[in-house]
Amino acid sequence: MKKLTGALALVTLLFVFSASPAFAHTHLDTSDPEEGSTVTEALDSVTLYFETVIEESAVLELQKEDGTEITLDNITVNDDELSADVTEPLENGAYTLSWDIIGVDGHPMEDSLSFEVDIEETAAEEATEEDTNGQEDASEEQADENEAASESDVQDTAAEDSNSNTLLITILLVAIIAVVAIVLLKRKK
Ligand SMILES: [Cu+2]
């Protein structure tokens, strides 16, 4: 009887560990800009990072607080990322970025986040000056951006790897505990 109870407990444990992460809805993980943040430099793109891969058919919309729709160009799905270019300069104010995606489990998920744009006028003037400095600066900036982008990709991949490692280790631990428990129960007889 004791043996049966122990075995049942182990099966339950295994089930709980294996079932929880894989079958959840796909929520937003992080974003750029983040929910509730204040953007102080010209915003030229928005990116949403989801918990899982999403389907290509994603919808992404940007709205100013007064309801004005801001045109988003080049809306792109890349595995768990949904991004778009913001081609017109954003006036200072509050914005809502909303999405309608289909997650890895086939469920549609609709949500939104808010952020504020607050760019100082001097910053805007500096940006204009930079533009007149010619193409060299622009290409340097582009190179920096590319570098930053690939660095964050590497970090994302590393984070995913460590997540799945944690899960594997957990399963392994539970399996070891199961074996030890079974051996102990057999000895007690
Ligand atoms: Cu779901």
Side-chain angles (χ1 to χ4, degrees):
M1 192 61 193
K2 254 187 195 170
K3 199 173 177 180
L4 187 67
T5 317
L8 269 178
L10 285 169
V11 168
T12 310
L13 261 180
L14 274 173
F15 182 77
V16 167
F17 276 114
S18 61
S20 49
F23 301 108
H25 296 298
T26 300
H27 298 105
L28 186 70
D29 190 357
T30 59
S31 62
D32 182 18
E34 278 183 54
E35 158 71 31
S37 64
T38 302
V39 175
T40 55
E41 282 172 32
L43 188 70
D44 51 14
S45 69
V46 290
T47 309
L48 301 177
Y49 302 91
F50 290 93
E51 293 170 337
T52 72
V53 168
I54 60 169
E55 288 187 14
E56 296 281 337
S57 60
V59 175
L60 187 61
E61 282 170 358
L62 182 59
Q63 242 183 22
K64 214 188 160 193
E65 55 198 320
D66 62 5
T68 318
E69 197 78 34
I70 310 293
T71 311
L72 290 176
D73 278 343
N74 206 7
I75 297 176
T76 310
V77 171
N78 187 7
D79 292 339
D80 59 349
E81 285 180 31
L82 174 57
S83 62
D85 294 337
V86 181
T87 46
E88 52 182 301
L90 297 182
E91 291 170 24
N92 286 350
Y95 290 84
T96 304
L97 183 62
S98 43
W99 59 90
D100 193 350
I101 59 119
I102 296 176
V104 74
D105 62 356
H107 291 167
M109 297 294 283
E110 208 181 323
D111 209 348
S112 65
L113 65 84
S114 306
F115 64 90
E116 197 112 358
V117 172
D118 187 8
I119 300 174
E120 279 182 51
E121 271 185 40
T122 48
E125 278 164 28
E126 272 171 36
T128 321
E129 264 171 45
E130 245 178 4
D131 283 347
T132 56
N133 278 347
Q135 281 183 318
E136 213 169 294
D137 279 356
S139 60
E140 259 172 45
E141 246 171 61
Q142 188 62 49
D144 285 350
E145 269 170 37
N146 288 346
E147 210 174 285
S150 62
E151 264 169 36
S152 78
D153 280 353
V154 169
Q155 278 169 358
D156 284 353
T157 317
E160 270 167 33
D161 282 354
S162 83
N163 268 351
S164 58
N165 280 345
T166 312
L167 185 64
L168 275 178
I169 290 166
T170 310
I171 291 171
L172 209 66
L173 271 178
V174 172
I176 291 169
I177 292 169
V179 170
V180 170
I182 287 165
V183 168
L184 284 178
L185 284 168
K186 274 191 178 167
R187 252 191 219 167
K188 269 190 188 168
K189 268 188 170 178

